[in-house]
Amino acid sequence: MWWIPWLIGGMMVIGSWLLEDEAAIEINKILNGKGEVKFHDKKTQVYGIEIYNGYSFKDLQDLKGKIENFLKYEVEIVNENFRYFIRPIVEKDIPTLVPFEIINTQELTGFKVAVAKSEEGNIFLDFSKVPHTLVAGATGWGKSIFTKNLILQIISNFPHCELELFDFKAGIELGDFKNLRQTKSFIIRPDQAVLEMTRIYEEIEYRFDEVTSHGERDWIAFNQKNSEPMTPKFVIIEEFTILLDQDKELSTVLTKCLAIARAVGVFFIFTSQRFDSKIIDSKIKANIDNRICFHTSDAINSKLILDTTGAERLETVGRCLISVAGAIQEGQSFYVKENDVQNTIKSHFKPHTEVLEDKVNKYKDKNKKSPQGQEIRENEGEFIWVSRQEI
């Protein structure tokens, strides 16, 4: 008979198909001559359906509402190579603790890193599609650990990237990463950060000129055709509202950065506890399409960060709402312990004698001006780029 292959495939057992049971009889009534129940697995509550000649899978789908009304739970109507099933939709739980692990994304399309787990599996950010990220929420709910996981996933999957780190909590949050070979600057003082942001903006402009002068639309296309590819760069700013408080003109600089950085492989990651519409320019927020929001004190703060409420109802440490270009998922971020950090970064340290490169030498064009707009002189820039021993 037509349903024998299911028996052979182990999809049912003899005792599980009872066509005489009341549920099967009632579903046959709902089918009303369009088909019939051929088996009912009581353990999984899956029904196998035969559709009669003259009727189609769509006819079965059209009866979904009536079947759900009878069964009192949601179902999915499935077509597997012309074998038809009615299956219950089982809600899966999001884990409350996700141990840290490096998720290999190098073979995946795009420029992805894993940031959390949902009930369906890993949640990724793809920086090639949505380049800039905001991480926000109340203190103690997982922002810092999320950021550490993000950095560890980045350097493990893309070890040739560059990091520009700004940590206005006196270096406490990002201090573990200051001596990595990927780290090109590590700033803890807002007054130094103003000049450094100007330098980064000049580099973004330089990269943009390179891309457009070669007739390419972005850094990925540029890298495919040039022997000296552009290195992806992540600018990570802890408590970036402190930076905006330092110099109001930085809102303008940041807006310019965000607008063109996506085309040249420069990705901004902002974290903030104090997210205030009076401080953050709406143009900055409009250019940040990845939003990661942990627990907030109220719905107003949730809406400021995500443009919707919901984060105020998160009650698990490490649980977050992840909005990517407006599509929101709930996930549990990876729990990163201190020994996870140390074990992962130990292979990424720069040599003890290496000095962080004075980047002005890379930008000799534009009348030999440095990115800060000053004449290039020997040893210029040492107040920011210091040796490992001095940090």
Side-chain angles (χ1 to χ4, degrees), residues 90-288:
V90 180
E91 291 188 9
K92 299 178 182 178
D93 293 329
I94 299 173
T96 56
L97 179 66
V98 180
F100 170 75
E101 62 175 319
I102 294 298
I103 306 298
N104 187 343
T105 59
Q106 296 179 60
E107 303 303 319
L108 300 180
T109 57
F111 200 61
K112 294 175 181 174
V113 295
V115 295
K117 282 188 182 291
S118 70
E119 67 275 12
E120 301 296 334
N122 291 319
I123 299 176
F124 300 92
L125 295 183
D126 186 350
F127 292 99
S128 67
K129 293 183 177 179
V130 187
H132 307 311
T133 303
L134 171 67
V135 185
T139 298
W141 288 89
K143 292 194 314 297
S144 297
I145 290 177
F146 180 94
T147 305
K148 288 180 180 179
N149 170 71
L150 194 54
I151 295 173
L152 295 176
Q153 301 286 349
I154 288 169
I155 64 174
S156 297
N157 283 288
F158 310 104
H160 300 298
C161 71
E162 295 179 353
L163 302 176
E164 308 273 6
L165 304 180
F166 297 74
D167 186 353
F168 302 127
K169 293 182 178 178
I172 293 173
E173 299 295 349
L174 302 181
D176 287 325
F177 308 107
K178 66 184 178 183
N179 292 324
L180 304 186
R181 64 176 180 270
Q182 291 90 349
T183 302
K184 301 306 174 184
S185 65
F186 183 77
I187 305 299
I188 63 174
R189 288 171 49 190
D191 59 325
Q192 289 182 341
V194 174
L195 185 58
E196 183 73 347
M197 280 305 307
T198 303
R199 194 269 303 171
I200 291 172
Y201 173 58
E202 293 292 340
E203 179 178 344
I204 290 171
E205 279 199 322
Y206 173 82
R207 287 180 173 222
F208 191 76
D209 288 345
E210 285 288 288
V211 168
T212 55
S213 67
H214 284 77
E216 305 298 344
R217 61 184 178 83
D218 60 30
W219 69 288
I220 297 175
F222 176 89
N223 284 358
Q224 290 172 347
K225 297 181 180 179
N226 286 273
S227 58
E228 294 186 8
M230 288 185 178
T231 303
K233 180 190 290 287
F234 291 85
V235 182
I236 302 172
I237 307 177
E238 278 277 349
E239 293 299 341
F240 81 110
T241 52
I242 295 176
L243 186 61
L244 298 181
D245 281 340
Q246 177 72 20
D247 188 334
K248 299 302 181 184
E249 294 301 316
L250 272 173
S251 288
T252 302
V253 175
L254 275 175
T255 301
K256 291 179 180 178
C257 284
L258 295 172
I260 62 174
R262 65 180 62 220
V264 297
V266 179
F267 314 113
F268 282 79
I269 298 167
F270 304 98
T271 79
S272 178
Q273 172 191 348
R274 185 170 59 95
F275 196 83
D276 190 332
S277 60
K278 295 179 182 177
I279 298 174
I280 300 169
D281 191 302
S282 60
K283 293 179 182 178
I284 293 178
K285 186 179 172 184
N287 277 287
I288 306 174

